[in-house]
Amino acid sequence: MNRIKFVVSNCLITMLILSSFNASANTVEELEKRIQQLENLVEKLLSEASVGTELDVKNESDDEDINRSISDLTLELEEQHYLIEELSKKDEYRMKVAGYADVEYKGSDTPGVSEEFRMHHLSLFFTRKFDNKFKFFSEIEYEDAPKFDGVNDGSGDLDEASGTIFVEAVNFDWNYSQALNVRVGRFFSPAGIWSEDHYPPFVATQERPMHIFRIFPQFVDGVSGYGRQFLTDSISVDYNIFLGNGESSISGKKDLNSNKATGFRGRIQLPIWDEFNLGFTLYNDNEDSANGNADKFAYGYHLEARYHNISVQGEYALANLEFSDEVLDYDREGYYAQFKYHLNDWDLGYRYDYYDENNLGKNSVKRNSIFVNFHLNEAITLKGEYHRNQYRNSSVDDVGFYTFSISTYLGN
């Protein structure tokens, strides 16, 4: 009986100590830890009481003490669960910061080219969910460790500058349903695969395929509608239709002409292997300011597939540029095919690239790439890659270059 009273007293004292830091337990993690401690106390109390009643003579006073302690602990548990629910709701609508960073060591087999470290990216994501329908997203990229020093004479001139600070995305989403959503602002062009899914921690190589951002623009300043519709339980169709300013260096402020760029990307997911997606992209911009005011029409196809440890992806794109003088018309073309084998924490792979800036001369480039990735954990990846460019123009020497890097995702 004394043993039971001793256990009950200790449990109640511990409960009071836990209650004393209730004001400081203002995070979900702290509350979850607190709940676990309380649950352990209840289990200990029940276990010790059971042992005690086998050794001592049980009476009604002991019963009342034990039941009162268990009742107090249970009430405390309910209060903490309620606090977790409330804090989770508040946390869901707070501004969140994430992002990614990478550092590279680069070199080339070209004589006279120095090896170098590159502080390539520090990108910060800011997201805010206002309610179940509206959310905000932005990405600010700091590339090559930017540094800007002003002339200290009041002129506002720069004495020294390096690197780039770039607003890559800033947009608002209205999520009405799975099939119908609207995005307004700056967003990455919905074109193929790599245009949107290009963050270093999640792609095979630091070096992107040569035609990416050269046929379809890097981003769109405008509005898009997107969604997904299931045709069957295992077949779905994604779509993204968009309208925006034409491609230019000031597209975030204004459009340089009255025409608007338009585009559409569709994708179908089929129940083949572990993953199998096929898609296409269309893009049109009359009087494209970034390409000599040409009328630009581009299209492309893409494929993603995975079977067990083997992944395959590829993209093809072609842009037709027409000028007021037909003699200047040309096509721009590019594609790649990438194969990757995943084994435990390792990725091994190969990619073949082709890019032709225009079909007016012998300016096409072929690239063969090999790569190996080691995933230290879900957030950090070590990469090694080698690329070799072969030029159609015989006056240009073939060149090989390599990159070793570490990249990390700065978020949950």
mmCIF file of all heavy atoms in Angstrom, residues 58-84:
data_model
loop_
_atom_site.group_PDB
_atom_site.id
_atom_site.type_symbol
_atom_site.label_atom_id
_atom_site.label_comp_id
_atom_site.label_asym_id
_atom_site.label_seq_id
_atom_site.Cartn_x
_atom_site.Cartn_y
_atom_site.Cartn_z
ATOM 1 N N LYS A 58 -5.336 -4.286 -0.855
ATOM 2 C CA LYS A 58 -5.945 -3.139 -1.509
ATOM 3 C C LYS A 58 -7.117 -2.636 -0.681
ATOM 4 O O LYS A 58 -7.862 -3.435 -0.127
ATOM 5 C CB LYS A 58 -6.417 -3.558 -2.905
ATOM 6 C CG LYS A 58 -6.968 -2.441 -3.726
ATOM 7 C CD LYS A 58 -7.341 -2.997 -5.077
ATOM 8 C CE LYS A 58 -7.996 -1.908 -5.919
ATOM 9 N NZ LYS A 58 -8.415 -2.427 -7.216
ATOM 10 N N ASN A 59 -7.306 -1.287 -0.608
ATOM 11 C CA ASN A 59 -8.459 -0.730 0.074
ATOM 12 C C ASN A 59 -9.063 0.391 -0.767
ATOM 13 O O ASN A 59 -8.511 0.781 -1.789
ATOM 14 C CB ASN A 59 -8.088 -0.212 1.480
ATOM 15 C CG ASN A 59 -6.975 0.834 1.428
ATOM 16 O OD1 ASN A 59 -7.003 1.727 0.591
ATOM 17 N ND2 ASN A 59 -5.995 0.715 2.323
ATOM 18 N N GLU A 60 -10.188 0.888 -0.328
ATOM 19 C CA GLU A 60 -10.920 1.884 -1.116
ATOM 20 C C GLU A 60 -10.145 3.179 -1.240
ATOM 21 O O GLU A 60 -10.218 3.863 -2.260
ATOM 22 C CB GLU A 60 -12.281 2.148 -0.460
ATOM 23 C CG GLU A 60 -13.219 0.962 -0.523
ATOM 24 C CD GLU A 60 -14.569 1.282 0.093
ATOM 25 O OE1 GLU A 60 -14.741 2.442 0.528
ATOM 26 O OE2 GLU A 60 -15.421 0.386 0.120
ATOM 27 N N SER A 61 -9.350 3.542 -0.231
ATOM 28 C CA SER A 61 -8.566 4.779 -0.283
ATOM 29 C C SER A 61 -7.541 4.723 -1.412
ATOM 30 O O SER A 61 -7.338 5.693 -2.139
ATOM 31 C CB SER A 61 -7.867 5.002 1.058
ATOM 32 O OG SER A 61 -7.047 6.158 0.987
ATOM 33 N N ASP A 62 -6.892 3.554 -1.529
ATOM 34 C CA ASP A 62 -5.925 3.388 -2.631
ATOM 35 C C ASP A 62 -6.618 3.527 -3.971
ATOM 36 O O ASP A 62 -6.106 4.164 -4.898
ATOM 37 C CB ASP A 62 -5.262 2.008 -2.546
ATOM 38 C CG ASP A 62 -4.371 1.889 -1.321
ATOM 39 O OD1 ASP A 62 -3.875 2.938 -0.861
ATOM 40 O OD2 ASP A 62 -4.185 0.751 -0.856
ATOM 41 N N ASP A 63 -7.798 2.925 -4.097
ATOM 42 C CA ASP A 63 -8.553 2.993 -5.348
ATOM 43 C C ASP A 63 -8.847 4.447 -5.722
ATOM 44 O O ASP A 63 -8.714 4.848 -6.881
ATOM 45 C CB ASP A 63 -9.887 2.245 -5.210
ATOM 46 C CG ASP A 63 -9.709 0.765 -5.533
ATOM 47 O OD1 ASP A 63 -8.665 0.427 -6.120
ATOM 48 O OD2 ASP A 63 -10.617 -0.013 -5.202
ATOM 49 N N GLU A 64 -9.283 5.228 -4.733
ATOM 50 C CA GLU A 64 -9.633 6.615 -5.017
ATOM 51 C C GLU A 64 -8.421 7.415 -5.480
ATOM 52 O O GLU A 64 -8.497 8.217 -6.420
ATOM 53 C CB GLU A 64 -10.241 7.256 -3.766
ATOM 54 C CG GLU A 64 -11.612 6.690 -3.410
ATOM 55 C CD GLU A 64 -12.148 7.289 -2.116
ATOM 56 O OE1 GLU A 64 -11.426 8.142 -1.526
ATOM 57 O OE2 GLU A 64 -13.260 6.931 -1.714
ATOM 58 N N ASP A 65 -7.257 7.202 -4.801
ATOM 59 C CA ASP A 65 -6.038 7.925 -5.184
ATOM 60 C C ASP A 65 -5.615 7.586 -6.609
ATOM 61 O O ASP A 65 -5.268 8.464 -7.405
ATOM 62 C CB ASP A 65 -4.894 7.597 -4.219
ATOM 63 C CG ASP A 65 -5.103 8.224 -2.853
ATOM 64 O OD1 ASP A 65 -5.895 9.194 -2.767
ATOM 65 O OD2 ASP A 65 -4.480 7.747 -1.892
ATOM 66 N N ILE A 66 -5.638 6.301 -6.914
ATOM 67 C CA ILE A 66 -5.215 5.862 -8.245
ATOM 68 C C ILE A 66 -6.155 6.391 -9.309
ATOM 69 O O ILE A 66 -5.734 6.956 -10.329
ATOM 70 C CB ILE A 66 -5.140 4.323 -8.305
ATOM 71 C CG1 ILE A 66 -4.020 3.826 -7.386
ATOM 72 C CG2 ILE A 66 -4.887 3.850 -9.735
ATOM 73 C CD1 ILE A 66 -3.993 2.315 -7.219
ATOM 74 N N ASN A 67 -7.456 6.263 -9.103
ATOM 75 C CA ASN A 67 -8.425 6.719 -10.093
ATOM 76 C C ASN A 67 -8.360 8.230 -10.304
ATOM 77 O O ASN A 67 -8.501 8.731 -11.424
ATOM 78 C CB ASN A 67 -9.842 6.320 -9.674
ATOM 79 C CG ASN A 67 -10.060 4.821 -9.756
ATOM 80 O OD1 ASN A 67 -9.393 4.136 -10.532
ATOM 81 N ND2 ASN A 67 -10.976 4.300 -8.944
ATOM 82 N N ARG A 68 -8.142 8.953 -9.196
ATOM 83 C CA ARG A 68 -8.034 10.406 -9.303
ATOM 84 C C ARG A 68 -6.804 10.795 -10.113
ATOM 85 O O ARG A 68 -6.842 11.693 -10.969
ATOM 86 C CB ARG A 68 -7.964 11.033 -7.905
ATOM 87 C CG ARG A 68 -8.039 12.576 -7.937
ATOM 88 C CD ARG A 68 -7.919 13.176 -6.542
ATOM 89 N NE ARG A 68 -8.923 12.620 -5.639
ATOM 90 C CZ ARG A 68 -8.630 11.847 -4.591
ATOM 91 N NH1 ARG A 68 -7.365 11.549 -4.324
ATOM 92 N NH2 ARG A 68 -9.594 11.377 -3.810
ATOM 93 N N SER A 69 -5.673 10.111 -9.891
ATOM 94 C CA SER A 69 -4.438 10.410 -10.628
ATOM 95 C C SER A 69 -4.603 10.125 -12.112
ATOM 96 O O SER A 69 -4.205 10.917 -12.967
ATOM 97 C CB SER A 69 -3.278 9.578 -10.068
ATOM 98 O OG SER A 69 -3.078 9.870 -8.718
ATOM 99 N N ILE A 70 -5.209 8.965 -12.411
ATOM 100 C CA ILE A 70 -5.412 8.601 -13.816
ATOM 101 C C ILE A 70 -6.363 9.589 -14.483
ATOM 102 O O ILE A 70 -6.158 10.003 -15.618
ATOM 103 C CB ILE A 70 -5.948 7.164 -13.923
ATOM 104 C CG1 ILE A 70 -4.876 6.172 -13.449
ATOM 105 C CG2 ILE A 70 -6.364 6.848 -15.355
ATOM 106 C CD1 ILE A 70 -5.348 4.737 -13.408
ATOM 107 N N SER A 71 -7.401 10.000 -13.760
ATOM 108 C CA SER A 71 -8.356 10.956 -14.311
ATOM 109 C C SER A 71 -7.692 12.300 -14.594
ATOM 110 O O SER A 71 -7.915 12.908 -15.653
ATOM 111 C CB SER A 71 -9.521 11.142 -13.329
ATOM 112 O OG SER A 71 -10.414 12.116 -13.800
ATOM 113 N N ASP A 72 -6.830 12.766 -13.663
ATOM 114 C CA ASP A 72 -6.119 14.035 -13.860
ATOM 115 C C ASP A 72 -5.193 13.956 -15.069
ATOM 116 O O ASP A 72 -5.112 14.882 -15.884
ATOM 117 C CB ASP A 72 -5.320 14.407 -12.614
ATOM 118 C CG ASP A 72 -6.221 14.798 -11.442
ATOM 119 O OD1 ASP A 72 -7.410 15.098 -11.699
ATOM 120 O OD2 ASP A 72 -5.742 14.774 -10.296
ATOM 121 N N LEU A 73 -4.451 12.843 -15.183
ATOM 122 C CA LEU A 73 -3.534 12.678 -16.304
ATOM 123 C C LEU A 73 -4.283 12.605 -17.626
ATOM 124 O O LEU A 73 -3.845 13.167 -18.635
ATOM 125 C CB LEU A 73 -2.689 11.415 -16.112
ATOM 126 C CG LEU A 73 -1.613 11.484 -15.024
ATOM 127 C CD1 LEU A 73 -1.033 10.109 -14.769
ATOM 128 C CD2 LEU A 73 -0.502 12.452 -15.414
ATOM 129 N N THR A 74 -5.414 11.921 -17.644
ATOM 130 C CA THR A 74 -6.208 11.803 -18.867
ATOM 131 C C THR A 74 -6.729 13.164 -19.304
ATOM 132 O O THR A 74 -6.711 13.506 -20.498
ATOM 133 C CB THR A 74 -7.387 10.843 -18.643
ATOM 134 O OG1 THR A 74 -6.886 9.559 -18.247
ATOM 135 C CG2 THR A 74 -8.197 10.690 -19.921
ATOM 136 N N LEU A 75 -7.180 13.970 -18.345
ATOM 137 C CA LEU A 75 -7.653 15.315 -18.662
ATOM 138 C C LEU A 75 -6.519 16.159 -19.234
ATOM 139 O O LEU A 75 -6.704 16.914 -20.195
ATOM 140 C CB LEU A 75 -8.227 15.971 -17.407
ATOM 141 C CG LEU A 75 -8.765 17.408 -17.581
ATOM 142 C CD1 LEU A 75 -9.901 17.427 -18.596
ATOM 143 C CD2 LEU A 75 -9.224 17.968 -16.237
ATOM 144 N N GLU A 76 -5.331 16.013 -18.647
ATOM 145 C CA GLU A 76 -4.163 16.748 -19.132
ATOM 146 C C GLU A 76 -3.830 16.352 -20.570
ATOM 147 O O GLU A 76 -3.510 17.186 -21.415
ATOM 148 C CB GLU A 76 -2.968 16.480 -18.217
ATOM 149 C CG GLU A 76 -1.686 17.195 -18.616
ATOM 150 C CD GLU A 76 -1.725 18.677 -18.313
ATOM 151 O OE1 GLU A 76 -2.665 19.124 -17.629
ATOM 152 O OE2 GLU A 76 -0.823 19.384 -18.782
ATOM 153 N N LEU A 77 -3.935 15.059 -20.857
ATOM 154 C CA LEU A 77 -3.679 14.576 -22.217
ATOM 155 C C LEU A 77 -4.665 15.188 -23.218
ATOM 156 O O LEU A 77 -4.291 15.605 -24.311
ATOM 157 C CB LEU A 77 -3.771 13.051 -22.267
ATOM 158 C CG LEU A 77 -2.561 12.268 -21.754
ATOM 159 C CD1 LEU A 77 -2.907 10.787 -21.645
ATOM 160 C CD2 LEU A 77 -1.367 12.461 -22.669
ATOM 161 N N GLU A 78 -5.929 15.226 -22.847
ATOM 162 C CA GLU A 78 -6.938 15.814 -23.730
ATOM 163 C C GLU A 78 -6.640 17.285 -23.998
ATOM 164 O O GLU A 78 -6.802 17.770 -25.132
ATOM 165 C CB GLU A 78 -8.322 15.659 -23.102
ATOM 166 C CG GLU A 78 -8.816 14.216 -23.052
ATOM 167 C CD GLU A 78 -10.141 14.098 -22.338
ATOM 168 O OE1 GLU A 78 -10.620 15.136 -21.817
ATOM 169 O OE2 GLU A 78 -10.699 12.985 -22.288
ATOM 170 N N GLU A 79 -6.203 18.016 -22.980
ATOM 171 C CA GLU A 79 -5.879 19.428 -23.156
ATOM 172 C C GLU A 79 -4.708 19.611 -24.126
ATOM 173 O O GLU A 79 -4.723 20.505 -24.979
ATOM 174 C CB GLU A 79 -5.539 20.065 -21.803
ATOM 175 C CG GLU A 79 -6.738 20.179 -20.874
ATOM 176 C CD GLU A 79 -6.340 20.704 -19.502
ATOM 177 O OE1 GLU A 79 -5.108 20.832 -19.261
ATOM 178 O OE2 GLU A 79 -7.234 20.980 -18.689
ATOM 179 N N GLN A 80 -3.697 18.739 -24.005
ATOM 180 C CA GLN A 80 -2.529 18.861 -24.887
ATOM 181 C C GLN A 80 -2.881 18.510 -26.332
ATOM 182 O O GLN A 80 -2.381 19.126 -27.264
ATOM 183 C CB GLN A 80 -1.387 17.978 -24.377
ATOM 184 C CG GLN A 80 -0.903 18.307 -22.980
ATOM 185 C CD GLN A 80 -0.617 19.795 -22.813
ATOM 186 O OE1 GLN A 80 0.063 20.396 -23.634
ATOM 187 N NE2 GLN A 80 -1.170 20.383 -21.756
ATOM 188 N N HIS A 81 -3.742 17.516 -26.517
ATOM 189 C CA HIS A 81 -4.188 17.191 -27.876
ATOM 190 C C HIS A 81 -4.943 18.363 -28.496
ATOM 191 O O HIS A 81 -4.786 18.657 -29.692
ATOM 192 C CB HIS A 81 -5.086 15.946 -27.854
ATOM 193 C CG HIS A 81 -4.335 14.655 -27.803
ATOM 194 N ND1 HIS A 81 -3.516 14.237 -28.823
ATOM 195 C CD2 HIS A 81 -4.270 13.684 -26.843
ATOM 196 C CE1 HIS A 81 -2.981 13.068 -28.509
ATOM 197 N NE2 HIS A 81 -3.416 12.713 -27.317
ATOM 198 N N TYR A 82 -5.733 19.049 -27.707
ATOM 199 C CA TYR A 82 -6.464 20.212 -28.199
ATOM 200 C C TYR A 82 -5.501 21.330 -28.588
ATOM 201 O O TYR A 82 -5.660 21.975 -29.629
ATOM 202 C CB TYR A 82 -7.441 20.711 -27.123
ATOM 203 C CG TYR A 82 -8.121 22.007 -27.476
ATOM 204 C CD1 TYR A 82 -9.165 22.038 -28.393
ATOM 205 C CD2 TYR A 82 -7.700 23.207 -26.905
ATOM 206 C CE1 TYR A 82 -9.785 23.238 -28.734
ATOM 207 C CE2 TYR A 82 -8.304 24.409 -27.243
ATOM 208 C CZ TYR A 82 -9.348 24.413 -28.149
ATOM 209 O OH TYR A 82 -9.953 25.601 -28.486
ATOM 210 N N LEU A 83 -4.468 21.544 -27.746
ATOM 211 C CA LEU A 83 -3.478 22.579 -28.049
ATOM 212 C C LEU A 83 -2.739 22.266 -29.349
ATOM 213 O O LEU A 83 -2.442 23.164 -30.142
ATOM 214 C CB LEU A 83 -2.481 22.707 -26.894
ATOM 215 C CG LEU A 83 -2.973 23.417 -25.633
ATOM 216 C CD1 LEU A 83 -1.923 23.324 -24.532
ATOM 217 C CD2 LEU A 83 -3.305 24.869 -25.932
ATOM 218 N N ILE A 84 -2.436 20.989 -29.572
ATOM 219 C CA ILE A 84 -1.755 20.592 -30.815
ATOM 220 C C ILE A 84 -2.617 20.924 -32.023
ATOM 221 O O ILE A 84 -2.141 21.437 -33.038
ATOM 222 C CB ILE A 84 -1.403 19.092 -30.791
ATOM 223 C CG1 ILE A 84 -0.143 18.870 -29.973
ATOM 224 C CG2 ILE A 84 -1.208 18.546 -32.191
ATOM 225 C CD1 ILE A 84 0.380 17.463 -30.013
#
